[in-house]
């Protein structure tokens, strides 16, 4: 009788243990399903956020391009015309001017001519259709030449590899990105030497822009949460993300700066 009771107790313990194990297994399984669903949900939310952010940035850039095109047309149609009229008026006045005034008028005509050339160059750099027509390399070369003409910078530009075109919309974004880089150099670097180097490889486009200026703490100014974050450098990264480009910004106080851009073959035509 005692043996029978012992067997029943053992059997009860075994069944209870199995039931507990089954319950634990079910709890673990449902926890796993919950974590998996939570992970998928968070992933979907992040993807939606990234898509929204990218779409918003793309919209901002499209609006910016429309605005720049409008400014470019205004510069070409109105301001350039006004400068041309000033030059014509000066030419009319010149024959009737005294010898003393003649030199000043000629100098003013020269300045007006230079201003007209600068306005045309600026208008071209803002005009999206013009950039798409002449291509990224010619547009970048024009920007570098404008820098060189200021006599403040010694500019070098080199290319290696067999040249090819990127997608037109990518060339526009890349050019605006380069304008941002060059604008930072002009305004903040105090550099004397600016170097741009293009490297065309099969399946990879590389561009490097460097200067010998005062430099900056790259770690601080590229952190969004940093109080010293540079809006220009953050915009460079955002623009690069739109075309699948990898951007490396290297700099240190007193050591100049270097911006490297790499675009994989998926971004090329």
């Amino acid at each position: 009788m005692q043996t029978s009771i012992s067997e029943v107790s053992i059997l009860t313990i075994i069944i209870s243990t199995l039931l507990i194990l089954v319950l634990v297994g079910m709890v673990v399984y449902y926890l796993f399903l919950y974590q998996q669903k939570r992970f998928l949900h968070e992933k979907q939310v992040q993807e939606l956020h990234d898509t929204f952010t990218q779409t918003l940035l793309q919209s901002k850039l499209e609006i910016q391009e429309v605005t720049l095109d409008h400014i470019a047309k205004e510069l070409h149609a109105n301001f350039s015309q006004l400068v041309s009229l000033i030059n014509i008026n000066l030419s009319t006045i010149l024959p009737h001017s005294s010898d003393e005034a003649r030199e000043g008028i000629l100098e003013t005509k020269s300045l007006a001519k230079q201003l007209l050339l600068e306005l045309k160059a600026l208008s071209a750099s803002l005009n999206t259709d013009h950039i798409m027509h002449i291509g990224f390399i010619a547009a970048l070369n024009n920007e570098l030449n404008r820098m060189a003409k200021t006599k403040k910078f010694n500019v070098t530009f080199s290319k290696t590899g067999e040249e090819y075109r990127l997608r037109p919309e990518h060339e526009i974004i890349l050019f605006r990105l380069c304008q941002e880089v060059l604008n930072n150099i002009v305004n903040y670097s105090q550099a004397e030497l600016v170097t741009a180097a293009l490297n065309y490889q099969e399946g990879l486009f590389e561009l490097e822009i460097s200067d010998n200026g005062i430099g900056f703490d790259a770690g601080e100014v590229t952190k969004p949460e940093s109080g010293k974050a540079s809006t220009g450098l953050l915009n460079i990264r955002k623009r690069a993300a739109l075309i699948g480009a990898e951007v490396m910004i290297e700099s240190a106080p007193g050591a100049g700066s270097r911006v490297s851009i790499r675009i994989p073959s998926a971004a090329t035509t």
Side-chain angles (χ1 to χ4, degrees):
M1 185 69 178
Q2 291 180 349
T3 302
S4 178
I5 294 173
S6 298
E7 290 176 352
V8 171
S9 298
I10 293 172
L11 183 61
T12 301
I13 292 172
I14 292 173
I15 293 173
S16 299
T17 303
L18 289 174
L19 287 174
I20 292 172
L21 289 174
V22 169
L23 288 172
V24 170
M26 291 177 66
V27 170
V28 171
Y29 174 71
Y30 282 113
L31 284 174
F32 172 76
L33 286 180
Y34 171 75
Q35 289 294 339
Q36 190 176 41
K37 288 181 179 180
R38 182 180 176 182
F39 171 76
L40 290 174
H41 174 70
E42 290 177 349
K43 184 179 179 181
Q44 289 173 349
V45 170
Q46 185 61 45
E47 288 176 350
L48 287 172
H49 179 268
D50 292 342
T51 302
F52 172 76
T53 302
Q54 188 171 17
T55 302
L56 182 61
L57 180 59
Q58 184 68 54
S59 299
K60 287 181 178 179
L61 292 178
E62 289 174 358
I63 293 171
Q64 184 185 68
E65 288 302 321
V66 171
T67 304
L68 291 176
D69 278 344
H70 177 71
I71 293 173
K73 291 173 182 177
E74 287 296 314
L75 285 173
H76 186 269
N78 296 325
F79 289 92
S80 295
Q81 184 179 8
L82 288 173
V83 175
S84 297
L85 289 173
I86 290 171
N87 217 351
I88 291 172
N89 287 339
L90 289 173
S91 297
T92 303
I93 296 171
L94 187 61
H96 308 288
S97 302
S98 64
D99 293 339
E100 293 181 359
R102 185 181 296 273
E103 185 176 346
I105 293 173
L106 289 173
E107 178 65 20
T108 304
K109 278 177 59 64
S110 177
L111 291 173
K113 183 178 180 180
Q114 184 178 347
L115 176 58
L116 183 60
L117 292 175
E118 287 296 320
L119 283 173
K120 288 182 177 179
L122 179 59
S123 175
S125 73
L126 297 177
N127 189 297
T128 303
D129 292 336
H130 177 74
I131 296 166
M132 293 176 69
H133 175 69
I134 66 174
F136 169 74
I137 294 178
L140 177 60
N141 193 41
N142 288 342
E143 288 296 295
L144 294 171
N145 286 336
R146 286 181 62 203
M147 289 183 68
K149 286 178 180 178
T150 65
K151 308 298 183 182
K152 295 180 180 179
F153 305 96
N154 181 16
V155 180
T156 62
F157 184 31
S158 63
K159 293 180 293 180
T160 57
E162 186 175 350
E163 183 180 323
Y164 52 78
R165 292 287 300 266
L166 302 177
R167 296 177 185 173
E169 64 273 18
H170 289 179
E171 288 198 340
I172 293 297
I173 293 176
L174 180 61
F175 178 67
R176 298 302 182 207
L177 189 157
C178 291
Q179 281 184 312
E180 192 83 57
V181 174
L182 296 176
N183 185 59
N184 284 339
I185 292 175
V186 170
N187 290 329
Y188 308 114
S189 72
Q190 300 180 30
E192 296 177 350
L193 176 64
V194 178
T195 302
L198 286 170
N199 181 21
Y200 290 92
Q201 300 180 36
E202 185 176 352
L204 182 65
F205 172 90
E206 293 181 302
L207 169 63
E208 183 178 287
I209 300 176
S210 59
D211 67 76
N212 67 341
I214 59 175
F216 53 88
D217 188 336
E220 284 295 317
V221 300
T222 55
K223 291 180 181 177
E225 65 275 9
S226 171
K228 299 179 180 179
S230 166
T231 303
L233 294 179
L234 294 178
N235 284 339
I236 288 171
R237 291 194 182 281
K238 289 179 181 179
R239 289 176 186 271
L242 284 176
I243 57 176
E246 176 188 357
V247 176
M248 293 181 61
I249 301 173
E250 302 173 74
S251 185
S257 65
R258 177 167 63 241
V259 178
S260 303
I261 304 163
R262 295 161 58 92
I263 304 178
S265 57
T268 62
T269 54

